[in-house]
Amino acid sequence: MDLREHIRQVPDFPKPGILFYDISTLLAHPDAWQETVRQLEVNVGQYQPHVLAGIESRGFLVAAPLALQLNLGFVMLRKPGKLPGPNVSYTYDLEYGSDTIEIQEGSVQPGQRVVVLDDLLATGGTMQASVELLRKLGADVRAAACIIELSFLKGRERLDVPAHSLIAFES
C-alpha cells in the first residue's frame, strides 16, 4: 500500500505559501492507518523502548496507538500551560524567536528507553528539543520516528538520534 496516496496536500494553509501535509485523510482510511501503525511498529520496535513520547498534538495520534500496539507506556510532550504540574520545561531557538516544550515531572524514569514520535519531521527543531527534554529527565532516547518527513528541510541533520519516516517528500 502506498501511504503517500492517503496524505492530502493543502496549499496555502495555515498561511499563504505553506503546503500543509494533512494526515486526517490517512487516519480516516482504516487499512491505511493500520498499515501506518504496522510500519511504525517495525521501525520503533527494534529500539525496545519502555515508553513512547508523542509531540503535541498530532504526535499524540501517532504515539498513543503505537504504544498500545507495542504494550508500552505513552507520555505527552506539550506546550507550556497544557499539562498539570509539576512539569519540566525545555526552551529552544527557532528561526525567529524561541519556543518551549514541557513534560510532566516523573513521567519518564532515569534510564528508560524512549522513542519520540510526531506526525511530521520538518526542520527538526521541535524533535531535537523533545530529545533534549527527555534527556533532562534521564531518559535514554533511542530514536525518533514520524509518518512524514519533509527531507528538503534537512530536519534529520539536526537530530543526534536515528530518525525514521514512512513517507519522504523531496520538495
Side-chain angles (χ1 to χ4, degrees), residues 46-108:
Q46 67 181 314
Y47 295 99
Q48 301 178 333
H50 296 112
V51 173
L52 300 184
I55 299 173
E56 183 173 334
S57 66
R58 289 181 301 270
F60 301 167
L61 299 171
V62 178
L66 183 59
L68 186 63
Q69 182 72 22
L70 292 169
N71 195 33
L72 302 173
F74 164 69
V75 297
M76 295 179 284
L77 305 172
R78 299 206 67 182
K79 295 179 184 193
K82 301 288 185 175
L83 293 169
N87 299 316
V88 178
S89 300
Y90 185 85
T91 299
Y92 58 103
D93 291 328
L94 299 169
E95 189 174 353
Y96 302 103
S98 65
D99 207 349
T100 301
I101 194 163
E102 292 185 338
I103 190 170
Q104 289 176 313
E105 191 176 286
S107 58
V108 175

Side-chain angles (χ1 to χ4, degrees), residues 29 33 71 99 101 111 142 145 160:
H29 192 282
W33 182 226
N71 195 33
D99 207 349
I101 194 163
R142 294 290 178 99
D160 63 3

Side-chain angles (χ1 to χ4, degrees), residues 9-22:
Q9 296 181 31
V10 183
D12 299 321
F13 183 82
K15 60 185 182 179
I18 302 292
L19 179 59
F20 185 80
Y21 294 87
D22 184 12

Side-chain angles (χ1 to χ4, degrees), residues 4 7 21 23 118-124 127 144-159 162-171:
R4 184 184 301 265
I7 304 297
Y21 294 87
I23 65 165
D118 205 351
D119 69 320
L120 182 134
L121 174 61
T123 63
M127 187 71 80
C146 59
I147 298 171
I148 300 167
E149 179 178 358
L150 304 181
S151 54
F152 59 95
L153 294 176
K154 303 187 184 311
R156 87 174 33 236
E157 293 177 9
R158 291 184 71 176
L159 303 178
H164 299 273
S165 61
L166 303 183
I167 303 165
F169 289 96
E170 303 299 328
S171 61

